[in-house]
Amino acid sequence: MPLSEHEQRMLEQMERALYAEDPKFATALEGTGLRTYTRRRVYQAIAGFLVGVALLMVGVIIPQQIWISVVGFLVMLGCAGLAVTGWRKAPKPGERPQAGGPAGRRQSRSRRSMMSRIEERWQRRRDEQGH
């Protein structure tokens, strides 16, 4: 359910107040959800890689079951790829996550223009009220 204009203004006002009051804390909170998700994904990929190593070893120990080694190698390869891509996509602390792809860029541009329009309206209203 989207926020109403009034709710959006209130949220933006609270964000600005938070940045003004404690900018270090505000930047620490930025993107923590994505960082946590990415970190968790990298840890899962590392665990999967270790499972792949175990499968590879079991396949080597049991001479008649070579397919286990092949499966273990494929699991290792896939998990290594997931870990590397997850690590590269993770935003740095204090950095805003980048929207990927052309659709994400279009959305962020329209969102920025919408946000700037809302801010302009807010400033106009404040100026009219004499603040």
Side-chain angles (χ1 to χ4, degrees):
M1 179 178 191
L3 297 175
S4 69
E5 282 189 37
H6 175 69
E7 291 170 332
Q8 288 177 348
R9 283 193 305 259
M10 295 300 293
L11 182 61
E12 289 171 3
Q13 186 179 16
M14 290 188 303
E15 286 177 0
R16 281 193 291 263
L18 177 63
Y19 275 105
E21 189 175 311
D22 194 356
K24 188 174 181 181
F25 178 68
T27 55
L29 288 179
E30 271 181 3
T32 55
L34 183 61
R35 270 200 316 265
T36 303
Y37 169 76
T38 307
R39 189 179 305 138
R40 186 179 314 129
R41 185 173 171 191
V42 168
Y43 289 152
Q44 289 171 348
I46 290 171
F49 185 85
L50 295 175
V51 168
V53 169
L55 286 173
L56 185 70
M57 300 271 242
V58 167
V60 169
I61 292 172
I62 304 172
Q64 302 296 334
Q65 303 297 326
I66 291 294
W67 63 272
I68 295 176
S69 293
V70 173
V71 169
F73 177 76
L74 293 175
V75 168
M76 287 171 49
L77 189 63
C79 289
L82 282 175
V84 169
T85 57
W87 192 264
R88 286 184 183 168
K89 289 181 182 178
K92 308 292 184 270
E95 176 184 64
R96 286 183 176 254
Q98 298 285 325
R105 284 189 211 115
R106 250 184 279 126
Q107 182 183 9
S108 75
R109 262 189 236 135
S110 65
R111 189 173 204 182
R112 261 188 264 141
S113 63
M114 182 185 80
M115 296 299 280
S116 63
R117 282 183 287 159
I118 290 172
E119 287 179 16
E120 288 171 10
R121 283 188 217 155
W122 180 260
Q123 287 297 331
R124 251 187 280 132
R125 287 182 185 156
R126 290 189 78 194
D127 292 341
E128 289 171 1
Q129 292 176 355
H131 291 288

